[in-house]
Amino acid sequence: KDDVAPKDDVAPKDDVAPKDDDAPKDDVAPKDDDAPKDDVAPKDDDAPKDDVAPKDDVAPKDDVAPKDDVAPKDDVAPKDDVAPKDDDAPLPLAVLAQLFAQTDVGQIREHNEDNYLVADLGQGLRGIEESLAQNWKVGAKGLLFAVCDGMGGAAAGEIASQMATDIIYEYMKKATGHGSRDKLALDIVGALEEAGTKILGEAMANRSCRGMGTTATVAALVDDHLLIGQVGDSRAYLLRNSRLVLVTRDQSLVNQLLEAGQLTEEEAENFEHSNIILQALGTSDSVQVDLTFVKLCRGDVLMVCSDGLSGMLRDFEIAAFLKNNDDPSDACRVLIDEANAAGGHDNVTVITVRFDGAGLVECDDEATASLKYQKYPFGPSLENGADSAGRGRSLSREASPSIEVHGEFEVEGDIDWEQFLHERRQIPAERSRVGVPGWGWAVLVGALVLTYLWYTH
């Protein structure tokens, strides 16, 4: 029992461990062959274990295990927080997006030259997998939406718009963390520039693709500010409290003449060159990206569309359909059906996104009244003309970035639009949304000739 007393001392095994290393303790082991041997057996087992260095390490580790387990857990806790941030963890400013997208060939065209892009860059998701609206959360790498309307004849327009959506998606996905709005803005511009360059290269290398091009309206966000890059005349609208506002600016001849005061709204509706656009990706090595932004409120609805929709429906009709169809999938289908019912002269593509979440402020009357087209103001760090990749640009708060910045994209008020059109004839014109197609005129002329010959003979 006196020997057992050390057992009580043994309770703190850490003190006994070094004593077990002594030779005399090994002699005590036979003494433990007595009745209490069974009790000492564990000690004997422990003794050799103490001699075995690894097991000695295990013994204290078993005692400390709970603490050791807790320690790494404490270390892992921040890592767990960081891991999702690298990919798609919700930002402190939580923004939710319910969205849907759809495209339709229309009533006149034989094939669809439109393409759209919806993507969650953090999750690597692209496209609409089901016929129901998707619910996404804005993550660190952001959400991306785009509509591209191809042109160029035959299948070239379809190739151009498909190339544009693919290149824009890959560029934005590979961008190293958009981080700030300025970085996101530069990434949007860089993606559009790269798409334009590669489409032009394909057009020059492939005879069947000569003259192809595409519009591109790209919207993206990493927080509560939506950034929009525009080339061509596809559009982005925002619906806020029943008020619909066009937050992009058409780069088309008819719009420039409207802004210059050479056309009225009524004249513009019947303007014979309403299908002429002044910029497109793939038609030259220089494009000017019109970059705008909107500070979002809870309940805002974004709609990005091709001119197959905006050319068929008036703005007040679009506003009514968006207001009366809260579900984005319903809104897309109704808008496309109505555009087709109005004639469907062109391919029709629509993306609708409804924004919500605690990260967005409630919309008040002031926010509704102040909603408008706004140029994106780059931060002071980018005003020196270099982006984070070191590429030189003439960036300022007044001018949107481009491959070659050469002032605002404007048409002066006293310009001769026929001469202007002649000088820009290298930009492919979309087939007119209204009127008789080219083959129709041939049939009509042929019928008139046959009629004339019939009556004269």
Side-chain angles (χ1 to χ4, degrees):
K1 289 182 180 179
D2 291 338
D3 294 334
V4 174
K7 283 187 178 181
D8 295 334
D9 296 334
V10 171
K13 289 185 179 181
D14 293 338
D15 296 334
V16 176
K19 292 182 179 179
D20 289 341
D21 295 334
D22 298 336
K25 288 290 182 177
D26 295 334
D27 296 336
V28 176
K31 290 181 182 179
D32 292 334
D33 292 337
D34 300 337
K37 183 176 183 181
D38 294 336
D39 295 333
V40 178
K43 287 180 71 180
D44 290 339
D45 293 336
D46 290 342
K49 287 180 182 177
D50 291 337
D51 294 337
V52 181
K55 292 185 179 179
D56 283 336
D57 292 337
V58 172
K61 281 185 179 178
D62 290 338
D63 294 335
V64 183
K67 292 182 181 179
D68 289 341
D69 292 338
V70 172
K73 283 182 181 177
D74 291 338
D75 292 338
V76 172
K79 289 183 179 178
D80 289 339
D81 293 336
V82 172
K85 283 184 181 177
D86 290 339
D87 279 333
D88 194 45
L91 297 177
L93 200 64
V95 180
L96 306 177
Q98 185 183 36
L99 60 113
F100 195 76
Q102 189 173 351
T103 186
D104 189 83
V105 69
Q107 302 296 303
I108 303 298
R109 300 293 180 84
E110 295 181 359
H111 59 278
N112 196 344
E113 295 182 331
D114 286 0
N115 270 287
Y116 69 80
L117 168 65
V118 293
D120 181 335
L121 297 173
Q123 296 290 342
L125 301 176
R126 177 181 177 180
I128 300 295
E129 298 179 356
E130 302 176 359
S131 59
L132 301 175
Q134 309 292 295
N135 293 287
W136 290 354
K137 185 179 293 185
V138 177
K141 291 189 176 180
L143 304 183
L144 177 65
F145 317 105
V147 166
C148 297
D149 181 358
M151 63 204 72
E158 185 176 353
I159 293 172
S161 63
Q162 184 66 61
M163 284 184 65
T165 55
D166 291 344
I167 293 166
I168 291 168
Y169 173 69
E170 291 299 328
Y171 186 101
M172 296 294 287
K173 187 176 69 170
K174 292 177 182 177
T176 55
H178 304 295
S180 68
R181 292 175 203 147
D182 281 350
K183 178 63 167 61
L184 177 64
L186 287 169
D187 289 337
I188 291 172
V189 175
L192 286 166
E193 290 177 353
E194 181 158 317
T197 299
K198 290 187 175 180
I199 293 169
L200 178 62
E202 179 66 19
M204 296 176 66
N206 189 338
R207 183 180 298 274
S208 64
C209 294
R210 295 288 171 85
M212 72 177 179
T214 183
T215 70
T217 299
V218 179
L221 73 162
V222 291
D223 53 19
D224 63 341
H225 280 63
L226 180 73
L227 275 59
I228 307 160
Q230 169 90 349
V231 175
D233 66 345
S234 296
R235 290 183 172 184
Y237 291 89
L238 198 81
L239 179 72
R240 175 177 293 172
N241 285 345
S242 302
R243 180 172 179 245
L244 185 73
V245 175
L246 180 62
V247 291
T248 54
R249 184 182 180 205
D250 292 353
Q251 296 172 355
S252 64
L253 179 62
V254 65
N255 187 62
Q256 295 295 340
L257 294 174
L258 273 169
E259 293 183 359
Q262 290 195 355
L263 286 178
T264 65
E265 292 285 351
E266 293 75 17
E267 292 171 336
E269 290 184 4
N270 300 312
F271 186 55
E272 60 179 326
H273 295 297
S274 61
N275 61 319
I276 300 299
I277 63 173
L278 306 180
Q279 278 205 123
L281 297 180
T283 60
S284 69
D285 58 358
S286 174
V287 294
Q288 181 163 345
V289 179
D290 191 32
L291 194 63
T292 58
F293 78 99
V294 176
K295 187 178 188 302
L296 295 171
C297 294
R298 200 172 300 170
D300 282 352
V301 179
L302 168 70
M303 188 196 74
V304 187
C305 67
S306 62
D307 64 353
L309 179 73
S310 58
M312 293 290 101
L313 301 178
R314 296 176 182 271
D315 287 1
F316 74 87
E317 295 175 304
I318 294 173
F321 295 133
L322 288 175
K323 180 182 177 182
N324 295 329
N325 294 274
D326 291 337
D327 187 278
S329 61
D330 293 338
C332 283
R333 294 185 184 102
V334 168
L335 288 167
I336 288 177
D337 289 345
E338 292 296 329
N340 283 329
H345 296 150
D346 201 353
N347 307 141
V348 189
T349 301
V350 185
I351 299 173
T352 57
V353 187
R354 182 175 294 274
F355 295 102
D356 203 344
L360 299 180
V361 299
E362 292 286 352
C363 184
D364 55 22
D365 293 341
E366 182 181 355
T368 301
S370 63
L371 181 60
K372 62 181 180 179
Y373 165 94
Q374 299 181 84
K375 289 278 190 182
Y376 179 76
F378 278 94
S381 63
L382 292 174
E383 290 183 356
N384 59 6
D387 63 15
S388 59
R391 296 179 297 176
R393 297 179 190 272
S394 299
L395 301 183
S396 70
R397 293 182 182 274
E398 288 74 28
S400 295
S402 66
I403 295 176
E404 296 178 5
V405 176
H406 45 75
E408 291 293 335
F409 195 79
E410 301 285 354
V411 175
E412 298 178 2
D414 57 350
I415 196 168
D416 182 342
W417 66 264
E418 291 185 349
Q419 180 181 354
F420 184 85
L421 178 61
H422 175 74
E423 292 173 352
R424 288 185 172 267
R425 60 186 175 185
Q426 75 276 9
I427 298 178
E430 291 185 286
R431 286 171 287 179
S432 179
R433 297 189 296 268
V434 296
V436 181
W439 59 265
W441 286 113
V443 172
L444 180 60
V445 171
L448 290 174
V449 170
L450 290 175
T451 302
Y452 173 78
L453 292 175
W454 174 271
Y455 281 107
T456 55
H457 291 79

